[in-house]
Amino acid sequence: SSQMIGAASLPFVVAYPLMKRWWGWPQAFLGVTINWGAMMGWAAVHDGLDWSVVGPLYASGFFWTLVYDTIYAHQDKRDDLKVGVKSTALTFGDRTKLYLAGFGVANVACLATAGAMAGCHM
């Protein structure tokens, strides 16, 4: 099960490096790609997917990737403009803090949901 899920990620892994050339949200594509491990890990341990847990866990990682990689992308804005690649830092511009706050709230909400659905109670 986890091997099939891993194999399904390969088109995303191959396409990710090209996203900065085509799309102003390459960090979102990175989030889709890099957080595939949430599904693989769950399937490896539980021999299948429980979407009530894995869905929010995957979404949480996706939103966290948007946060950290957008911050990272701000360090490369000048170079990205020179070479013509895109990023959420350029797309969001002066609205970045607002976007990051929203993504951060979504990250925590999804992580809390995944934990609750997995039976992790405080």
Side-chain angles (χ1 to χ4, degrees), residues 35 38-39 42 51-62 110-111 113-114:
N35 291 291
M39 294 182 283
W42 185 274
W51 286 106
S52 70
V53 178
V54 176
L57 182 62
Y58 179 78
S60 175
F62 171 81
C110 290
L111 190 58
T113 301

Side-chain angles (χ1 to χ4, degrees), residues 2 13 19 29-30 49 51 60 62 66 75 81 97 122:
S2 64
V13 171
M19 286 299 121
F29 202 85
L30 176 63
L49 294 174
W51 286 106
S60 175
F62 171 81
L66 283 172
Q75 298 173 43
L81 286 169
K97 289 181 185 178
M122 294 177 66

Side-chain angles (χ1 to χ4, degrees), residues 3-111:
Q3 293 170 338
M4 297 288 285
I5 294 167
S9 75
L10 292 177
F12 296 97
V13 171
V14 170
Y16 168 67
L18 304 172
M19 286 299 121
K20 288 184 100 173
R21 302 269 179 222
W22 297 331
W23 191 34
W25 285 65
Q27 285 71 19
F29 202 85
L30 176 63
V32 167
T33 305
I34 201 167
N35 291 291
W36 210 269
M39 294 182 283
M40 290 174 55
W42 185 274
V45 171
H46 299 281
D47 197 32
L49 294 174
D50 178 351
W51 286 106
S52 70
V53 178
V54 176
L57 182 62
Y58 179 78
S60 175
F62 171 81
F63 288 119
W64 181 243
T65 303
L66 283 172
V67 170
Y68 78 75
D69 208 46
T70 297
I71 292 168
Y72 179 71
H74 271 276
Q75 298 173 43
D76 296 331
K77 284 192 300 190
R78 285 190 207 120
D79 293 333
D80 288 351
L81 286 169
K82 284 180 189 175
V83 298
V85 296
K86 298 170 175 56
S87 73
T88 51
L90 296 172
T91 300
F92 300 161
D94 292 338
R95 300 179 321 266
T96 294
K97 289 181 185 178
L98 179 64
Y99 277 95
L100 294 184
F103 296 147
V105 169
N107 163 253
V108 172
C110 290
L111 190 58

